[in-house]
Amino acid sequence: MAALALASAPYLAQAQTPTDPTASEAPADAAPPVRSGMSESVAAVVNDEIISTYDLAQRMRLVIATSGVQPTEQNLPQFQREALVGLVDERLQMHELHRVEKEQKMSLIADDQEVDEEIAAMGKENNLGFEQFKAQLAAQGIGIDTLRAQIRAQTSWSRWIRGRYGSRLRIGEDQIKAMQERISSAAAKPQYQISEVFLDANRVGGMEVAVNGANQLVTQMQQGAPFSAVARQFSASATAASGGDVGWISSGEIAPEVEAAVAEMRPGQLSKPIPVRDGVYIIYLRDKRSGSDATVVNLKQAAVALAENAPQDQIDAASAKLMALRAKVTGCGDLEAQAAKTP
């Protein structure tokens, strides 16, 4: 179905130095970098489509800028590997999407407006408008089309997967019962709220490479690189899209090697690399709680007082008021403050 050829290429010395891939930064208001055909070569070929060393250099800059990991001579090959694997995966995904669109005469690929809305949302997270965010990328030598291509592939592929498999999901009574039993059983076990980064040994070139890469990432996170940003760019787990957030898990739901390490950790602690059969985990323990045979639930409520024989219009008005309040409340912590603003 898909053909892939890789070509050996230097570590993009023409685009960046080994110790500082963004040394040739443009000013904030500069235009995106211009291709230089004289310095380009082939980094990979996917189904007859070329990935050039320019494409690879641009993606490397993007990974560096969005992961928070500082480039060094030691981790530069890791950046290159992640950038190349990401580009190859996205080319294969886009080729498949174009094939499906043509065969089934349906629209799957995100248009420019959808992509730019995603970029605007990214800028908003950093308190930047679209043009400001675009200028910030340009200041780091990153063309906006590099980010557009990544987002277009991720958004389009996710849409296709949801549409293809989501409609087939059917949850039966036996599954509901099994889940209820699992939840009940888990209530008596220790529970951990974790985030994860998983480096797939097969994907990165072997277990030794995965362990070395994990050690470098741990060092960078200890020096301030955000865990969620590192997970989004480097993790091979499905949780990468949510910044590595796994949520609450119970004893027995994770690999024994990971559980043994987590059991010894304190909330707020980052693990050392944890080798498992297929790769290496890095775990951030956000919180933990002991198991209990009983579940205690604390509730707060807001109510509108009505006479026992209140007419329907008063009941409807009270319901509307409570629904409006509900939309403003984010949790028990701000219920009283929001309710105090409502007559």
Side-chain angles (χ1 to χ4, degrees):
M1 283 178 50
L4 166 65
L6 299 180
S8 176
Y11 286 145
L12 311 173
Q14 71 274 19
Q16 52 200 16
T17 63
T19 55
D20 184 4
T22 57
S24 303
E25 291 182 352
D29 57 351
V34 179
R35 287 177 180 268
S36 175
M38 295 295 292
S39 63
E40 285 187 42
S41 60
V42 177
V45 180
V46 183
N47 287 344
D48 297 328
E49 182 180 359
I50 291 174
I51 297 175
S52 70
T53 51
Y54 172 87
D55 299 327
L56 186 53
Q58 282 285 289
R59 177 56 67 90
M60 287 177 68
R61 290 177 184 270
L62 182 63
V63 172
I64 291 169
T66 56
S67 69
V69 175
Q70 295 300 313
T72 65
E73 189 171 358
Q74 289 71 36
N75 66 21
L76 193 59
Q78 186 178 15
F79 278 118
Q80 185 185 38
R81 183 171 55 251
E82 290 297 325
L84 184 57
V85 169
L87 286 169
V88 170
D89 286 347
E90 289 166 19
R91 293 294 197 280
L92 292 172
Q93 290 168 357
M94 292 299 289
H95 291 168
E96 176 66 9
L97 291 172
H98 281 297
R99 183 191 67 79
V100 173
E101 280 194 332
K102 184 177 180 180
E103 287 185 357
Q104 301 187 15
K105 295 180 173 55
M106 59 190 302
S107 178
L108 291 171
I109 297 174
D111 58 28
D112 290 344
Q113 181 178 347
E114 292 176 278
V115 172
D116 284 349
E117 286 174 355
E118 289 290 333
I119 296 176
M122 293 176 64
K124 189 175 181 180
E125 290 179 1
N126 293 277
N127 298 315
L128 297 172
F130 180 85
E131 292 301 327
Q132 291 175 308
F133 187 52
K134 181 179 176 181
Q136 189 178 80
L137 291 176
Q140 298 178 70
I142 304 167
I144 189 65
D145 286 344
T146 297
L147 179 57
R148 280 195 175 111
Q150 183 185 47
I151 292 177
R152 193 185 311 277
Q154 291 175 344
T155 301
S156 303
W157 188 253
S158 177
R159 174 189 298 168
W160 166 233
I161 294 299
R162 287 198 307 268
R164 184 176 186 182
Y165 299 109
S167 61
R168 300 182 184 181
L169 296 178
R170 296 292 184 270
I171 300 177
E173 290 295 329
D174 56 336
Q175 293 171 292
I176 295 174
K177 185 177 180 180
M179 176 60 72
Q180 290 173 331
E181 291 175 352
R182 187 177 68 83
I183 293 173
S184 178
S185 174
K189 299 178 180 179
Q191 297 177 338
Y192 311 98
Q193 187 181 30
I194 66 172
S195 293
E196 66 179 1
V197 171
F198 177 63
L199 301 185
D200 188 328
N202 294 322
R203 185 173 182 264
V204 302
M207 183 61 77
E208 183 178 355
V209 176
V211 171
N212 290 337
N215 278 313
Q216 293 176 19
L217 292 179
V218 167
T219 299
Q220 291 284 345
M221 287 188 281
Q222 289 172 339
Q223 295 173 355
F227 190 99
S228 60
V230 172
R232 287 190 177 95
Q233 288 295 353
F234 291 95
S235 182
S237 171
T239 59
S242 59
D245 181 13
V246 178
W248 284 98
I249 58 171
S250 300
S251 175
E253 293 184 336
I254 50 179
E257 302 93 331
V258 176
E259 183 172 346
V262 170
E264 300 297 322
M265 293 169 61
R266 301 183 306 276
Q269 190 174 3
L270 182 69
S271 77
K272 296 178 181 179
I274 307 170
V276 295
R277 185 183 64 179
D278 299 324
V280 182
Y281 278 98
I282 303 169
I283 300 295
Y284 175 62
L285 180 61
R286 292 150 57 193
D287 201 358
K288 66 191 303 182
R289 57 194 180 198
S290 301
S292 173
D293 292 332
T295 301
V296 179
V297 179
N298 295 312
L299 300 174
K300 288 185 178 180
Q301 68 175 9
V304 176
L306 293 173
E308 186 176 351
N309 59 348
Q312 188 61 42
D313 60 335
Q314 290 185 15
I315 296 175
D316 292 342
S319 297
K321 183 177 292 188
L322 289 171
M323 290 300 293
L325 173 62
R326 180 182 179 182
K328 301 175 184 177
V329 174
T330 58
C332 287
D334 69 342
L335 175 60
E336 293 180 27
Q338 292 294 343
K341 301 176 184 178
T342 304

